[in-house]
Amino acid sequence: MKDTIEILHKKILSGEIMIKDVVGEYVARAKADTFNIFREVFTDIDAQIAHAESLLKEGKATPMTGIPVAIKDNILFAGHAAGAASKILEGYVASYDATAVSQLKVAGAIIIGRTNMDEFAMGSSTENSAYGVVQNPLDPTRVSGGSSGGSAAAIAAELAVVTLGSDTGGSIRQPAAFCGAVGLFPTYGSVSRHGLMALGSSLDCIGPFAHTVTDAETLYNTIATRDPLDSTSVEQRQVSKIKKRLAIPKGIFANGGCDKDIQENFASMVEKLKMEGYTVEEVELAHFADSLAVYYILMPAEASSNLARFDGIRYATRVGTGSIGELYKQTRGTLFGKEARRRILLGTYVLSHGYYDAYYNKAVALRSVIRTEIETVLKTYDAIITPTTPTTAFKIGEKASDPVAMYLSDLFTVPANIAQHPALSVPSGVDASGLPIGFQLIGERFGESTLFAIGKTIETLR
Ligand code: GLN
């Protein structure tokens, strides 16, 4: 039986286990990690433990009190290094807490370390980390997915009870699917981006990884808050009740890129949901599949602008001497990895005079079409359902030299980011090699509770 927040919380409250013992156990396991999951296991956690113990003593323990949590290396935790797995940030120490981290601290959670990831969250396999790939604990010859590969693998290897990742185009849901974890991309704006290193500012959101939907819900409720420090942060809204109606985008398997085992698993889960009283129908979402093209214009455009600050002067270790141009060139050319440089170039190109209208503006226009289509469908249905990924965890190296093949693994996940709608990935079984498969539910904005409710049903059906 895996440790969940639910189980540990009960044991902590009853005194069956001591917070320091639980945390000690997880820290020891995390230190012994052989999959390259952690960038760092923190050694200075005594103050966090003392805080959690005092909450408990005063009768103010929350479900998160004393729970070992790991955070992705692009989320700031004051006084601790944070590097987005990039050489360019080596030696950087966060001077303030991300709002999600402050929320965890207030709740008495114990942040035990920071997890490995694709550099600046660019990737689908963690192979773009400057510090090496994260092996999938379920099969170390395979990737853990990305970009939050470390946070997903930490769940599979049970090195933390729950973890935080960030999702710009699937970086929570895809690795969750590859590692058999639950992963949520929350409604954009419901979790503050303050203290999250930006990749694509209009797409990014911090979200939870967990063993169970209930745990993902608990962690989400802990971190979600309206935050004046993030201008895109929004107040939660109540949404309509569950209708037991699910929509499948027509033709999602038409391009032939989705594994047979995944299609079969999806179809069988749909049948089981029907037995539970759900109506499942195909709906026209004409531009759903265009999301990927839109994403690979908007994300690099935003990334190229966000990463401009890492120039060796405002941020980053400085490399080189000479003219300022030379210094920028050497710093950015040496310390950014290949994928980061590729996206900066792509983004600069689509934003440049003469191409702006042809690419960037078209993508912005198509984004609103996609968003309207999704919103319209979600007036009648609780969720749009798809597999989370077209394949299960692939071999390390298999797609590393083919960026387009790598980008295709985001096919089903990017529409939620484009529309800024929440999406949940729930494990729904395994393929012929025993590798986990994820089932994705895209809900209406602020419709997390509906997604959690359906997710909990799926957990009982797989
Ligand atoms: N795999 C996607 C990319 O490479 C998603 C990244 C993310 O969500 N951070 O852009």
Side-chain angles (χ1 to χ4, degrees):
M1 184 81 164
K2 287 174 181 155
D3 285 344
T4 60
I5 297 174
E6 259 184 309
I7 295 173
L8 287 181
H9 181 57
K10 275 197 199 116
K11 290 188 180 169
I12 289 172
L13 281 187
S14 70
E16 189 183 332
I17 51 171
M18 304 285 285
I19 290 174
K20 68 171 179 8
D21 295 338
V22 183
V23 176
E25 161 82 24
Y26 274 88
V27 167
R29 276 193 229 163
K31 281 190 178 148
D33 158 35
T34 54
F35 304 115
N36 201 23
I37 290 170
F38 278 89
R39 288 281 301 111
E40 182 184 356
V41 180
F42 299 137
T43 47
D44 57 343
I45 50 175
D46 291 352
Q48 294 188 68
I49 295 176
H51 172 60
E53 282 170 347
S54 71
L55 285 178
L56 183 63
K57 212 156 68 211
E58 292 159 21
K60 293 181 187 153
T62 74
M64 290 305 298
T65 301
I67 303 294
V69 179
I71 59 175
K72 191 174 176 178
D73 193 27
N74 59 353
I75 299 174
L76 304 192
F77 179 16
H80 297 81
S86 177
K87 290 271 184 236
I88 210 158
L89 275 172
E90 215 150 62
Y92 173 74
V93 174
S95 54
Y96 64 93
D97 284 329
T99 300
V101 165
S102 337
Q103 298 282 108
L104 284 177
K105 280 183 170 175
V106 170
I110 316 289
I111 302 171
I112 63 163
R114 55 188 172 106
T115 57
N116 200 356
M117 56 182 282
D118 283 299
E119 181 176 17
F120 284 105
M122 298 173 178
S124 303
S125 66
T126 320
E127 287 164 298
N128 298 330
S129 166
Y131 304 93
V133 67
V134 174
Q135 293 174 302
N136 191 317
L138 306 171
D139 175 352
T141 65
R142 294 176 187 272
V143 301
S144 288
S147 65
S148 316
S151 288
I155 300 296
E158 295 186 67
L159 306 186
V161 178
V162 286
T163 57
L164 289 185
S166 67
D167 191 315
T168 306
S171 277
I172 292 176
R173 291 158 287 157
Q174 185 257 25
F178 281 12
C179 291
V182 174
L184 172 75
F185 168 65
T187 301
Y188 174 84
S190 67
V191 178
S192 172
R193 289 185 299 113
H194 176 68
L196 169 68
M197 293 181 200
L199 169 58
S201 310
S202 74
L203 306 153
D204 298 340
C205 199
I206 294 176
F209 285 94
H211 292 301
T212 62
V213 173
T214 300
D215 275 7
E217 184 174 16
T218 303
L219 181 53
Y220 169 70
N221 288 332
T222 305
I223 59 172
T225 185
R226 160 88 182 97
D227 181 10
L229 297 171
D230 172 2
S231 62
T232 56
S233 155
V234 285
E235 207 73 63
Q236 301 274 344
R237 279 203 309 265
Q238 261 337 84
V239 298
S240 43
K241 288 227 173 53
I242 191 155
K243 305 174 194 79
K244 287 204 142 184
R245 291 175 70 88
L246 303 171
I248 303 173
K250 208 174 263 171
I252 42 161
F253 299 127
N255 77 352
C258 187
D259 284 358
K260 203 171 124 277
D261 286 1
I262 293 186
Q263 289 189 42
E264 283 173 10
N265 173 274
F266 181 73
S268 113
M269 185 52 79
V270 165
E271 285 315 309
K272 291 177 191 164
L273 284 164
K274 284 183 184 164
M275 309 261 275
E276 293 296 309
Y278 281 86
T279 302
V280 186
E281 287 165 342
E282 282 206 336
V283 296
E284 190 71 59
L285 275 157
H287 295 90
F288 194 78
D290 296 333
S291 299
L292 197 63
V294 169
Y295 176 78
Y296 277 99
I297 291 174
L298 296 183
M299 174 274 302
E302 295 185 13
S304 70
S305 154
N306 281 325
L307 296 182
R309 74 191 70 162
F310 301 103
D311 56 10
I313 294 169
R314 287 169 292 178
Y315 283 95
T317 326
R318 189 173 305 170
V319 178
T321 49
S323 70
I324 188 126
E326 212 31 57
L327 195 138
Y328 281 172
K329 219 157 90 186
Q330 288 189 35
T331 300
R332 292 166 66 78
T334 324
L335 299 177
F336 274 132
K338 199 169 171 186
E339 186 63 22
R341 281 179 283 139
R342 180 178 2 250
R343 295 196 190 191
I344 291 169
L345 287 174
L346 255 172
T348 309
Y349 177 79
V350 300
L351 289 176
S352 59
H353 183 71
Y355 294 104
Y356 190 93
D357 277 336
Y359 296 104
Y360 184 73
N361 275 346
K362 280 225 174 79
V364 170
L366 197 44
R367 179 183 201 167
S368 66
V369 172
I370 293 166
R371 186 171 178 157
T372 307
E373 277 183 10
I374 289 178
E375 266 163 12
T376 308
V377 168
L378 291 171
K379 285 203 175 95
T380 325
Y381 297 88
D382 297 317
I384 295 167
I385 55 172
T386 71
T388 307
T389 54
T391 71
T392 50
F394 43 86
K395 292 270 186 195
I396 292 172
E398 191 181 319
K399 301 187 182 186
S401 56
D402 185 351
V404 174
M406 193 72 94
Y407 296 169
L408 280 172
S409 62
D410 305 328
L411 190 62
F412 300 136
T413 49
V414 289
N417 306 71
I418 292 295
Q420 303 184 320
H421 278 239
L424 181 71
S425 177
V426 187
S428 66
V430 293
D431 70 3
S433 334
L435 296 166
I437 295 173
F439 188 98
Q440 179 181 238
L441 302 145
I442 304 172
E444 71 179 303
R445 280 178 60 74
F446 309 101
E448 275 83 358
S449 55
T450 300
L451 300 187
F452 292 139
I454 305 170
K456 286 172 199 171
T457 303
I458 292 174
E459 286 179 318
T460 66
L461 299 175
R462 67 170 173 249

